[in-house]
Amino acid sequence: MLREWKATEKPEEGELKKRLIAARDKLARQQMLIKEKKVPVLVLMEGWGTAGKGSCIGEIIQNIDPRFFKVESMEKKTEEEERRPFLYRHFAKIPEAGKFVFLDSGWMGETVGDYLRGELKESEYTKRIESIRRFERQLTDNGYLVMKFFLHISEKEQKKRIKHLAEEKDTMWRVNRNDMWQNHHYEKCVDAFSSYMKDTSMPSAPWYIIDAKSKKWTELQVLETLTQGIDIAFNNRDMAVPLLQNVFPLEKMPLLSEIPLDKELADEEYQEELKQLQTRLGELHNRLYRKKVPVIIAYEGWDAAGKGGNIKRITGALDPRGYEVHPIASPEPHEKARHYLWRFWTRLPKTGHIAIFDRTWYGRVMVERLEGFCSENDWKRAYNEINEFEKELYDWGAVIIKFWVQIDKVTQLRRFTDRQNTPEKQWKITDEDWRNREKWDQYEDAVNEMIAKTSTTYAPWHVLESVDKKYARIKALKIVIEELEKVLDTH
Amino acid sequence: MLREWKATEKPEEGELKKRLIAARDKLARQQMLIKEKKVPVLVLMEGWGTAGKGSCIGEIIQNIDPRFFKVESMEKKTEEEERRPFLYRHFAKIPEAGKFVFLDSGWMGETVGDYLRGELKESEYTKRIESIRRFERQLTDNGYLVMKFFLHISEKEQKKRIKHLAEEKDTMWRVNRNDMWQNHHYEKCVDAFSSYMKDTSMPSAPWYIIDAKSKKWTELQVLETLTQGIDIAFNNRDMAVPLLQNVFPLEKMPLLSEIPLDKELADEEYQEELKQLQTRLGELHNRLYRKKVPVIIAYEGWDAAGKGGNIKRITGALDPRGYEVHPIASPEPHEKARHYLWRFWTRLPKTGHIAIFDRTWYGRVMVERLEGFCSENDWKRAYNEINEFEKELYDWGAVIIKFWVQIDKVTQLRRFTDRQNTPEKQWKITDEDWRNREKWDQYEDAVNEMIAKTSTTYAPWHVLESVDKKYARIKALKIVIEELEKVLDTH
């Protein structure tokens, strides 16, 4: 793309000033609407070293109230970040609805850099491009405005700037080895940048190449493109998105109503098995930790199905330094203001750790669907988005175990009544539980659809028959052990 | 894509019937809304030979009033079509707003077929993919719903069907050589289809792979996906589209106000030059015809600027069998109901012919812009769409010459008054001309923007100073001659 690209001619000084004032004003006015209409705006500023990414962002934010934006620079990955999937730190930075985030380079800089340094093989690079395309599509599909700028300067110009900066003691620190490397391998970089931009330019988030030869002119081009993008985003807030066909391999699952719930376990047998299995799980957890395999265990199920007690039997076997349990309630305001997967991306385990989620991202296709917290288009699209999310984790190397804890309606009523009648259990039962119970049939339909559409071969659902909680606990332990053994054997 | 794809499990007979009835009903109901909301729906049915594309379309249209749809089969190109650009016959078939067009295979079948038969080199294939991506994007950006289905069957299934059809005398004709070729080179075809679909799957027009093993099941999958796509299109009718950055090389052009209009030609000199130039043009026209170069001459300019007389001096030199003049007025209803470029695509010259347009596709960024006949997003997007359109023609081998016939406001008034006062010229002047004149300044801004944004190196604007019409005519002839000489020299 860079080779075909031609710079627009820079306007004369007077014209430039006039347009700059107009564009700044426009952005200043738009920020209030951004807030009011709750549009999240992600501005990705990429480009050559010394092209002026930082100073361009510096100019632009002067038109925005500091409460409404954040600037993030791409730093070297921390050790914590190294132990998370590639998209982790990028997903973590997405803006809240109604706010701007400016990224002083992001996943493009990182990916092309890794590729040029030979740290990514061709096949890994291709996979990353796929991840990035999905990531950006998920953002724009969910109402994000994603504006991608590439600040472009010529080889000669870059050389001049590097020389100039290096000459002065005060600015020497601003030239880094990467800038010099780029300049020495300018043509190779042009190819790499171009092919990246070609592969990731989508109608919903196209690339804009900016002639960065002069500061004010750079600012003007970015401002005019950005404000135009914002206008379009305002217009498209209620857009529906085509539902993509499933491309992930699915396992055939039974309907909930087809699952017999009469399974039970005698107390003695339970105690014996529990002890054995927990010991075994403890051993595996240690090996897991050493081999740095990340594990994600997701619990969903009916109210009073016995999720809490089930989780306890798992964690009882684990070294506390190697796992976290995340109870998931309704999202906090700052969570609700972001992509619905954000609060799960940011809670991912490190390699070698186990993260247990007590309720999960599947809320999107259950409670959010049934209570109308998102549009029909939103939850219908979510099956694919979730399959993509889990595929990302699987490709990273994670073991994903998903449990649906199943009981029947009568059992639930018995447990609800028991909770209500037992003072020390009363906190466990709320009006909402009773309201949800009234919608049992709708929930059952939603759960059946969810299980059918998200039981991928790499992250299938396991149903735990939990009328007898003991049976369900033993079954859960066995499945976890089996899955861990599988992955440890292949490592 | 085909290799990763997994068929959804076919529902049982009872379930299938129930869903089929529901989906047919839904489509039957949607057709009225399609008409009311003026959504054009293009259904592209591609897939393996004997997969049942035709019979699937046959089932689906039974739910639609025959006035609201058309079925088009891909035939071998006629000689007329061979002499037009690749997209010509496809663009010609796009539906009107409020109607369906079903294509029993289209540009995918043609392109992959040509590629597999070795009729397209790798580089030509890549170029075609680019053309197709632009074409589909232009359709969806302009409110078209484009649904792309690929009917998939296994190698074994295809072999069985071919054998079955070939056994019966009555159905033998339905097996063609291409089907058999496909079956013998099944794996190679899988690769070619997959890579095509991967390259042309865009968020706004994704591919849907359909398990075509059984008829009713095929119909159900297509119906459910189609009706869902229609719902989404209803929702998105007022969508705005991100404005893409210009990627075409532009020539620097002066503002209209910077062009001196005092140029003139003495009568004698004019007559002499006219004769010489027309003779020369006549010769070139013959060579052009033999070398099969298509030529497009586009005229735009102020009312009463002298377009008609100018065109006459060109056509006066041409062999009538080798050119057409297209006077462009406001679009007819059936033209207005389609993509605004449709009436120009369908008027393209054959190779070796000259098409002269008296007013053009630039109406989009002049009258349609200023009179509010399209949205701001529409006309702003049009600069790029037009550059893409002309690039398509240029790549096909066409010479594109665009004239802006320029006069000043005083000259226009003099000519208007003259027309009004001369009985035999009165038909040439209407109230609309006077109304347009009142908007002179707005038009001038729009024309300046148009010339600046669409003077590509492959199709630049030429301004004809036409206060002295004789001067303008001679200049036009010279430019046409020069452009034709250039292209004939390189042939």
Side-chain angles (χ1 to χ4, degrees):
Chain A
M1 301 200 14
L2 287 174
R3 291 195 206 281
E4 297 97 59
W5 174 84
K6 284 255 163 91
T8 323
E9 199 168 345
K10 182 181 159 188
E12 288 160 49
E13 207 53 36
E15 163 85 1
L16 195 148
K17 256 192 192 148
K18 218 178 68 186
R19 278 166 60 185
L20 207 43
I21 290 169
R24 286 172 182 160
D25 273 4
K26 186 170 176 191
L27 183 60
R29 270 176 283 118
Q30 281 178 331
Q31 68 174 308
M32 301 314 300
L33 284 167
I34 287 280
K35 195 175 147 57
E36 190 188 309
K37 305 194 178 198
K38 297 198 195 310
V39 178
V41 183
L42 182 62
V43 180
L44 183 59
M45 198 70 78
E46 299 275 5
W48 295 94
T50 76
K53 299 184 285 288
S55 72
C56 179
I57 292 175
E59 290 300 327
I60 285 171
I61 54 176
Q62 302 202 1
N63 309 293
I64 313 176
D65 184 313
R67 288 167 302 175
F68 300 156
F69 74 83
K70 229 176 171 166
V71 178
E72 304 267 12
S73 300
M74 190 50 53
E75 311 280 347
K76 222 182 122 29
K77 270 190 201 165
T78 62
E79 207 226 325
E80 288 281 294
E81 286 167 346
E82 290 281 8
R83 292 177 65 180
R84 299 272 183 0
F86 159 66
L87 284 174
Y88 170 77
R89 62 176 182 155
H90 303 299
F91 214 111
K93 286 176 186 160
I94 62 172
E96 289 185 42
K99 299 195 179 176
F100 293 82
V101 162
F102 294 86
L103 295 178
D104 187 349
S105 106
W107 46 96
M108 172 185 185
E110 179 180 344
T111 300
V112 178
D114 287 355
Y115 176 73
L116 283 169
R117 278 189 300 276
E119 289 168 21
L120 280 179
K121 280 185 298 188
E122 202 68 48
S123 64
E124 291 165 331
Y125 175 80
T126 308
K127 225 170 184 174
R128 273 228 196 151
I129 294 286
E130 283 300 310
S131 298
I132 288 167
R133 287 169 60 106
R134 285 177 184 162
F135 171 42
E136 293 183 0
R137 173 169 48 67
Q138 281 208 14
L139 291 179
T140 54
D141 282 1
N142 284 281
Y144 276 70
L145 173 60
V146 178
M147 298 294 294
K148 305 186 296 196
F149 297 101
F150 185 89
L151 302 201
H152 188 39
I153 49 174
S154 68
E155 181 176 2
K156 220 173 106 189
E157 176 71 21
Q158 193 186 34
K159 185 175 247 157
K160 203 179 84 189
R161 291 189 189 186
I162 290 174
K163 206 177 145 212
H164 186 71
L165 289 168
E167 273 167 9
E168 298 284 323
K169 225 175 149 186
D170 291 346
T171 55
M172 227 168 68
W173 63 274
R174 284 178 55 194
V175 180
N176 64 36
R177 280 167 75 178
N178 188 41
D179 299 341
M180 294 198 287
W181 192 91
Q182 275 188 350
N183 199 249
H184 285 135
H185 302 83
Y186 190 89
E187 289 304 316
K188 197 176 162 180
C189 293
V190 166
D191 287 337
F193 288 140
S194 297
S195 112
Y196 177 92
M197 286 196 277
K198 188 166 174 267
D199 288 341
T200 58
S201 219
M202 285 183 290
S204 50
W207 275 102
Y208 295 99
I209 301 171
I210 301 295
D211 170 15
K213 208 174 166 194
S214 99
K215 266 192 172 185
K216 293 265 172 260
W217 174 223
T218 304
E219 184 194 347
L220 179 61
Q221 294 168 80
V222 171
L223 270 174
E224 288 186 339
T225 312
L226 174 61
T227 51
Q228 167 196 293
I230 292 172
D231 278 339
I232 289 169
F234 287 155
N235 187 91
N236 292 354
R237 272 181 317 139
D238 299 320
M239 201 179 86
V241 177
L243 300 174
L244 299 181
Q245 191 175 34
N246 173 52
V247 294
F248 301 105
L250 294 174
E251 291 196 351
K252 167 83 179 150
M253 298 290 290
L255 295 176
L256 290 183
S257 59
E258 293 167 358
I259 298 169
L261 289 175
D262 54 356
K263 289 173 180 150
E264 46 180 38
L265 214 57
D267 203 49
E268 203 176 329
E269 201 178 340
Y270 168 68
Q271 294 299 350
E272 198 172 314
E273 284 215 66
L274 182 65
K275 212 178 139 191
Q276 272 180 19
L277 293 170
Q278 287 191 328
T279 310
R280 176 68 183 142
L281 180 55
E283 290 163 13
L284 290 170
H285 190 208
N286 284 330
R287 285 178 54 198
L288 207 72
Y289 195 85
R290 284 201 315 276
K291 299 214 172 178
K292 296 205 181 304
V293 180
V295 179
I296 292 155
I297 305 178
Y299 276 88
E300 289 285 358
W302 299 103
D303 289 328
K307 287 190 298 295
N310 202 298
I311 291 172
K312 256 191 224 155
R313 300 321 182 278
I314 304 283
T315 56
L318 304 177
D319 181 327
R321 289 163 302 180
Y323 79 87
E324 313 92 41
V325 177
H326 300 289
I328 302 298
S330 341
E332 301 287 329
H334 75 286
E335 294 170 334
K336 211 147 92 186
R338 288 185 173 87
H339 190 294
Y340 69 98
L341 289 176
W342 182 79
R343 59 180 177 148
F344 304 104
W345 267 102
T346 50
R347 283 175 168 90
L348 290 178
K350 291 191 281 199
T351 51
H353 275 236
I354 298 179
I356 300 176
F357 290 88
D358 184 356
R359 301 208 179 275
T360 69
W361 43 98
Y362 285 96
R364 188 70 161 185
V365 293
M366 295 198 292
V367 57
E368 292 193 41
R369 164 182 177 174
L370 290 176
E371 302 297 335
F373 296 155
C374 64
S375 75
E376 184 177 332
N377 192 249
D378 285 335
W379 63 258
K380 284 194 168 168
R381 212 173 50 234
Y383 300 113
N384 183 52
E385 290 170 343
I386 287 172
N387 286 344
E388 290 182 340
F389 169 54
E390 293 174 357
K391 183 65 164 41
E392 203 63 47
L393 303 181
Y394 173 77
D395 285 344
W396 167 51
V399 179
I400 305 160
I401 303 170
K402 302 186 306 202
F403 290 126
W404 175 260
V405 190
Q406 171 66 358
I407 52 172
D408 56 49
K409 227 174 150 177
V410 177
T411 304
Q412 188 187 54
L413 183 62
R414 206 178 53 234
R415 292 187 187 167
F416 274 14
T417 321
D418 178 49
R419 284 179 177 185
Q420 210 129 38
N421 296 339
T422 317
E424 65 273 24
K425 286 187 188 167
Q426 269 166 16
W427 63 273
K428 277 181 143 184
I429 179 100
T430 66
D431 286 354
E432 206 191 321
D433 293 333
W434 288 104
R435 276 198 302 275
N436 288 343
R437 181 176 163 79
E438 278 170 33
K439 297 192 178 170
W440 181 285
D441 292 348
Q442 285 167 267
Y443 269 99
E444 184 162 331
D445 287 346
V447 173
N448 278 326
E449 186 170 359
M450 166 186 97
I451 290 179
K453 290 190 169 165
T454 60
S455 274
T456 52
T457 51
Y458 53 86
W461 281 98
H462 302 274
V463 176
L464 302 176
E465 300 86 341
S466 190
V467 170
D468 178 19
K469 291 179 182 174
K470 300 191 294 300
Y471 176 85
R473 291 167 188 169
I474 295 301
K475 182 169 177 183
L477 275 163
K478 283 182 177 167
I479 290 170
V480 173
I481 287 169
E482 193 185 338
E483 293 298 319
L484 298 189
E485 281 175 343
K486 248 193 271 172
V487 71
L488 287 168
D489 282 353
T490 61
H491 256 68
Chain B
M1 297 196 27
L2 287 173
R3 291 194 205 282
E4 297 97 60
W5 175 84
K6 285 256 162 91
T8 323
E9 200 167 345
K10 183 182 159 188
E12 289 161 49
E13 207 52 36
E15 163 86 1
L16 195 148
K17 256 192 192 149
K18 217 178 68 188
R19 278 167 60 186
L20 208 43
I21 290 169
R24 285 173 182 159
D25 273 4
K26 188 171 174 189
L27 182 60
R29 270 176 283 118
Q30 281 178 332
Q31 67 174 308
M32 301 314 300
L33 283 168
I34 286 280
K35 196 175 148 55
E36 189 188 311
K37 305 193 178 200
K38 298 197 195 309
V39 179
V41 184
L42 182 62
V43 180
L44 183 59
M45 197 69 80
E46 300 275 5
W48 295 93
T50 76
K53 297 184 285 289
S55 73
C56 179
I57 292 175
E59 291 299 328
I60 284 171
I61 54 175
Q62 301 203 3
N63 309 293
I64 313 177
D65 185 313
R67 288 167 301 173
F68 300 156
F69 74 83
K70 227 174 172 170
V71 178
E72 303 268 11
S73 300
M74 190 49 52
E75 312 279 347
K76 222 181 123 29
K77 271 188 200 166
T78 63
E79 207 227 325
E80 288 282 295
E81 286 167 346
E82 290 281 6
R83 293 178 64 181
R84 298 273 183 0
F86 160 66
L87 285 174
Y88 171 78
R89 62 176 183 154
H90 304 299
F91 215 109
K93 286 176 185 159
I94 62 172
E96 288 185 43
K99 299 196 178 175
F100 292 82
V101 161
F102 294 87
L103 295 178
D104 187 348
S105 106
W107 46 96
M108 173 184 185
E110 180 181 344
T111 300
V112 178
D114 287 355
Y115 176 73
L116 284 169
R117 279 188 300 275
E119 289 167 22
L120 280 180
K121 280 184 299 189
E122 201 69 47
S123 64
E124 291 165 332
Y125 175 81
T126 309
K127 225 170 184 174
R128 273 229 197 150
I129 294 285
E130 283 300 309
S131 298
I132 288 167
R133 287 167 60 106
R134 286 177 184 161
F135 171 42
E136 294 182 1
R137 174 170 47 69
Q138 280 209 13
L139 291 178
T140 54
D141 281 1
N142 284 281
Y144 277 70
L145 172 60
V146 178
M147 298 294 294
K148 304 186 295 195
F149 296 101
F150 184 89
L151 302 201
H152 188 38
I153 49 175
S154 68
E155 181 176 3
K156 220 173 106 189
E157 176 71 21
Q158 192 185 36
K159 184 175 247 156
K160 203 179 84 189
R161 292 189 188 185
I162 290 174
K163 205 178 147 210
H164 187 73
L165 289 168
E167 273 167 7
E168 300 282 326
K169 224 176 149 184
D170 291 345
T171 53
M172 226 168 67
W173 64 273
R174 285 179 54 194
V175 180
N176 64 36
R177 279 167 76 179
N178 188 42
D179 298 341
M180 295 197 284
W181 192 92
Q182 275 188 349
N183 199 249
H184 286 134
H185 302 83
Y186 190 89
E187 289 304 317
K188 196 175 161 180
C189 292
V190 165
D191 287 337
F193 287 140
S194 297
S195 111
Y196 176 92
M197 286 195 278
K198 189 165 172 267
D199 287 341
T200 58
S201 220
M202 284 182 291
S204 49
W207 276 101
Y208 295 100
I209 301 171
I210 301 295
D211 170 16
K213 208 175 166 193
S214 99
K215 265 192 172 185
K216 293 265 173 259
W217 175 222
T218 305
E219 184 194 345
L220 179 61
Q221 293 167 81
V222 171
L223 271 175
E224 287 186 341
T225 312
L226 174 60
T227 51
Q228 166 196 294
I230 292 173
D231 278 340
I232 289 169
F234 287 155
N235 188 91
N236 292 353
R237 272 180 316 140
D238 299 320
M239 201 178 87
V241 177
L243 299 175
L244 300 180
Q245 191 175 33
N246 173 53
V247 292
F248 301 105
L250 294 174
E251 291 197 350
K252 167 82 179 150
M253 298 291 288
L255 295 175
L256 290 184
S257 59
E258 293 166 358
I259 298 170
L261 289 175
D262 54 357
K263 289 172 180 150
E264 47 181 36
L265 214 56
D267 202 48
E268 203 176 331
E269 202 178 340
Y270 167 69
Q271 294 299 349
E272 198 171 315
E273 284 215 69
L274 183 65
K275 211 178 139 190
Q276 270 181 18
L277 292 169
Q278 286 191 328
T279 310
R280 176 69 183 142
L281 181 55
E283 290 163 14
L284 290 169
H285 190 208
N286 284 331
R287 285 178 54 199
L288 206 74
Y289 195 84
R290 284 202 316 276
K291 299 215 173 178
K292 296 204 180 306
V293 180
V295 178
I296 292 154
I297 305 178
Y299 275 88
E300 290 286 356
W302 299 103
D303 291 327
K307 288 190 297 294
N310 203 300
I311 291 172
K312 255 190 227 156
R313 299 323 183 276
I314 304 282
T315 56
L318 304 177
D319 181 328
R321 289 163 303 179
Y323 79 87
E324 312 92 41
V325 177
H326 300 288
I328 302 298
S330 343
E332 300 287 330
H334 75 287
E335 294 170 334
K336 210 147 96 186
R338 289 185 171 88
H339 189 295
Y340 69 98
L341 289 177
W342 182 79
R343 59 179 177 149
F344 304 104
W345 267 102
T346 51
R347 284 175 169 89
L348 290 179
K350 293 191 279 199
T351 51
H353 274 236
I354 298 179
I356 300 176
F357 290 88
D358 184 357
R359 301 211 179 275
T360 68
W361 42 97
Y362 286 95
R364 188 68 161 187
V365 293
M366 294 197 292
V367 57
E368 293 193 40
R369 165 183 177 174
L370 290 176
E371 301 298 335
F373 296 157
C374 63
S375 75
E376 183 177 331
N377 192 249
D378 285 336
W379 64 257
K380 284 194 168 169
R381 212 173 50 234
Y383 300 113
N384 183 53
E385 290 169 342
I386 287 173
N387 286 343
E388 289 181 341
F389 170 53
E390 293 175 357
K391 184 65 163 44
E392 203 64 46
L393 303 181
Y394 173 77
D395 285 345
W396 166 52
V399 179
I400 306 159
I401 302 170
K402 303 186 307 204
F403 289 126
W404 175 261
V405 190
Q406 171 66 357
I407 51 173
D408 55 51
K409 228 174 150 178
V410 177
T411 305
Q412 189 188 52
L413 183 62
R414 207 177 51 232
R415 292 187 187 166
F416 275 14
T417 320
D418 178 50
R419 285 179 178 185
Q420 209 128 39
N421 298 338
T422 318
E424 64 274 25
K425 285 188 188 167
Q426 268 165 18
W427 63 272
K428 276 182 145 182
I429 179 99
T430 66
D431 285 356
E432 207 191 323
D433 294 333
W434 289 104
R435 276 198 304 276
N436 287 344
R437 182 176 163 78
E438 277 169 34
K439 296 191 180 172
W440 180 286
D441 291 348
Q442 284 167 268
Y443 270 98
E444 184 162 331
D445 286 347
V447 173
N448 278 327
E449 185 169 359
M450 166 186 97
I451 290 179
K453 290 190 169 166
T454 60
S455 274
T456 52
T457 50
Y458 53 86
W461 280 98
H462 303 275
V463 176
L464 302 177
E465 298 86 341
S466 191
V467 170
D468 177 20
K469 292 179 182 174
K470 299 190 296 298
Y471 176 86
R473 291 168 188 168
I474 296 300
K475 181 168 177 184
L477 275 164
K478 283 182 177 168
I479 290 169
V480 172
I481 288 169
E482 192 186 338
E483 292 298 319
L484 298 189
E485 282 175 342
K486 248 193 271 172
V487 71
L488 286 168
D489 282 353
T490 61
H491 256 69

